[in-house]
Amino acid sequence: MQTTEELKAELIENFSFLEDLDQKYEYVIELGKKLPMLDAQFKKDEFKIKGCQSTVWLIPEVAETTISFRADSDSVFVKGLISLLIYVSNNQPKDDVAKLNTDFIHQIGLGNYLSPTRSNGLVAMVKQMKLYAQ
Amino acid sequence: MSFDVHKIRKDFPILSQKINGKDLVYFDNAATTQKPQSVIDSLSSYYQTINANIHRGIHTLAEKATAEYELTREAIKNFLNAESAEQIIFTKGITDSINLVARSYGGVYLKTGDEVIISTMEHHSNIVPWQLICEEKGAILRVIPINESGEIIFEDYEKLLSEKTKIVAIVHASNALGTINPIKEIIKKAHRFGAVVLVDGAQAASHLEIDVQDLDADFYCLSSHKLYGPTGVGALYGKKSILEKMPPYQGGGEMISEVTFEKTTYNELPYKFEAGTPNIADTIALRKAIEYIQQIGKQAIATYEAQLLDYATKKLSEFEQVQLVGTAKEKVSVCSFVMHNIHPQDIGIILDTEGIAIRTGHHCTQPLMNRLGLVGTARASFAFYNTFEEIDKLTFGLKKVIKMLS
């Protein structure tokens, strides 16, 4: 199984083939559309991470030593970014997720969506992922 | 002066920028407006030539800075057609102005069981300060409902008014919908019950002719940064008789007449409400913004912006997927909309790739969004430096949004 670092490297490589912002965004949107929607029963307050503009729902699935997540958002673009974060975290050792470094999002050129000024709930989501993994 | 948008655009250096390789299309004017060169020059010139603390020094620089600062007060007095300059109080902005009135006036004149009336379309800054003071005083907050077009239901407003009504706080033009409220009639009705009326002029002041005496407004608030001036400055107009009977809002320097440890007597209007060293440079630069607006003329601005709004409304209506939000008969140049199955934030993100800046979200009007059953809207808001070609770019951008997101 690939490690978080290997998965990050894979994503960075995938994005490096995309020439401009439009292509990157199209790819993110595509990922967002592909990420399975959560059933309504999971869209409750305990899983909700409220951003100023969009909402993220994050459900942890904790095993003995590893952790996985399912997540959804009302914004397709945010969903695409979520799927990147989930991709590098799912079935990974809890310790690795607890100290998840999101620099790879910057490396693929989408870092501005993880800056604290972005009000989309993503920063809070990463924080919550780490908390669940502790 | 004849209206020449291309000449006007040259006065706003930021507008010639490229964003993501595209010409900037700035349609977020309801959030903040861009600044003309004269405002930018004034800021730098102030620090280069006359920076000094005002009202206290007797040296030349202090006198020059004080004189310039007071000229802005005079300019706002004329801009609002206020009776006198002492009725213009400088604040940090509208939020600060409303908090001042809620605390100072509400703190004294609201009693248990009294009522404050606001409307469904208020910005959070005209909701929360009233909630805080109502809670403290045991007063009740009443809300005027709106109809489907986004206009207040006047008959319901009349029903809410009673002897218990002490304050009506209402927005002149809605930031989220563009609706212009019938302020004069609202004030007239409130005065019959002895209530005072505060008008939030955030959006109105840059688009409409404001005459506080004609409106008979008790308080009128405006923000410099929505008026082509710098951020961090605002003004509160108040009727003299009301301001005089209000206690100070904050204590500190400038607002005092004499201080002893036993008792302090307060300065006269407007200084009673202006504690501490104010935002001198930005206040001085605000006058340049007002002069710029006056040079073009409010009438010319209103006419041109109405044309932009009509054109945008027509263009957006052509999209099957677009639904306009806020279709009041009287509107300032704000175009709020939602798109079928597309989150407003995603609209904003894609438009940004085309260099188009719009605002998405709840626009600090969550109760309004709840009433409309929306999580938010996408909002394009126009200023006199925008063009019809830019609206064409918006429609092009929306086609891209549909292509990428549907």
Side-chain angles (χ1 to χ4, degrees), chain A residues 21-23 25-26 29-30 33 50-55 74-78 112-113 118-120, chain B residues 20 22 341-346 349-350 352-354 359-362 366 375 400 403-406:
Chain A
L21 197 61
D22 276 9
Q23 290 188 5
Y25 279 28
E26 268 169 19
I29 289 164
E30 209 46 52
K33 286 177 182 168
K50 192 107 183 64
C52 183
Q53 300 215 0
S54 51
T55 303
D74 47 1
S75 151
V76 180
F77 196 85
V78 171
N112 55 339
Y113 291 96
R118 284 280 170 174
S119 45
N120 51 30
Chain B
N20 292 321
K22 309 281 168 66
N341 277 339
I342 300 176
H343 193 278
Q345 185 180 322
D346 293 333
I349 287 171
I350 303 303
D352 185 53
T353 65
E354 289 297 312
R359 176 57 62 102
T360 61
H362 53 62
Q366 282 179 353
V375 291
K400 183 174 173 183
K403 187 170 149 262
M404 286 177 85
L405 291 164
S406 296

Side-chain angles (χ1 to χ4, degrees), chain B residues 64-82:
Chain B
K64 277 187 179 168
T66 304
E68 284 284 320
Y69 184 82
E70 290 301 324
L71 278 177
T72 301
R73 204 187 300 276
E74 194 65 28
I76 295 175
K77 178 215 136 193
N78 295 331
F79 190 71
L80 296 176
N81 191 32

Side-chain angles (χ1 to χ4, degrees), chain B residues 148-151 176-179 309 313 323-329 331 334-337 372:
Chain B
E148 292 309 308
S149 308
E151 296 161 318
L177 306 174
T179 311
L309 178 66
T313 305
Q323 189 201 332
L324 292 168
V325 180
T327 50
K329 281 184 223 66
K331 276 180 72 172
V334 166
C335 232
S336 235
F337 60 96
L372 298 170

Side-chain angles (χ1 to χ4, degrees), chain B residues 69 73 76 80 84-93 96-97 100-101 219-222 233-239 242-244 246 249 268-275 283:
Chain B
Y69 184 82
R73 204 187 300 276
I76 295 175
L80 296 176
S84 66
E86 63 184 357
Q87 289 165 262
I88 306 297
I89 295 153
F90 286 125
T91 64
K92 287 185 287 184
D96 194 28
S97 299
L100 189 162
V101 176
F219 299 105
Y220 198 98
C221 317
L222 57 82
V233 183
L236 169 69
Y237 158 85
K239 277 191 183 151
I242 301 175
L243 290 175
E244 275 176 339
M246 282 162 58
Y249 167 53
E268 57 196 16
L269 285 177
Y271 310 111
K272 179 170 84 171
F273 294 108
E274 294 179 357
T283 305

Side-chain angles (χ1 to χ4, degrees), chain B residues 175-337:
Chain B
N175 70 314
L177 306 174
T179 311
I180 300 171
N181 282 316
I183 292 300
K184 201 171 169 177
E185 289 70 34
I186 288 170
I187 291 172
K188 208 169 170 184
K189 296 283 176 194
H191 282 171
R192 284 196 191 152
F193 290 90
V196 298
V197 182
L198 173 140
V199 184
D200 167 359
Q203 301 300 329
S206 58
H207 302 289
L208 310 173
E209 198 81 58
I210 312 291
D211 183 336
V212 288
Q213 293 188 66
D214 179 56
L215 292 172
D216 200 17
D218 300 292
F219 299 105
Y220 198 98
C221 317
L222 57 82
S223 249
S224 157
H225 77 97
K226 297 204 196 284
L227 209 54
Y228 311 96
T231 53
V233 183
L236 169 69
Y237 158 85
K239 277 191 183 151
K240 196 175 172 188
S241 57
I242 301 175
L243 290 175
E244 275 176 339
K245 64 181 190 178
M246 282 162 58
Y249 167 53
Q250 290 178 327
E254 184 67 42
M255 51 78 70
I256 51 90
S257 171
E258 194 176 357
V259 178
T260 66
F261 285 119
E262 288 70 38
K263 186 170 171 58
T264 293
T265 51
Y266 304 117
N267 205 336
E268 57 196 16
L269 285 177
Y271 310 111
K272 179 170 84 171
F273 294 108
E274 294 179 357
T277 297
N279 188 348
I280 305 167
D282 293 288
T283 305
I284 289 172
L286 167 58
R287 179 163 64 90
K288 298 293 173 188
I290 290 173
E291 284 171 359
Y292 189 88
I293 293 169
Q294 283 168 336
Q295 201 192 338
I296 301 175
K298 276 275 184 81
Q299 193 53 53
I301 290 173
T303 306
Y304 180 69
E305 287 177 345
Q307 288 167 359
L308 287 175
L309 178 66
D310 283 350
Y311 187 67
T313 305
K314 184 173 147 272
K315 283 286 173 184
L316 290 181
S317 305
E318 286 168 8
F319 284 92
E320 226 174 87
Q321 300 88 340
V322 169
Q323 189 201 332
L324 292 168
V325 180
T327 50
K329 281 184 223 66
E330 300 289 330
K331 276 180 72 172
V332 292
S333 48
V334 166
C335 232
S336 235
F337 60 96

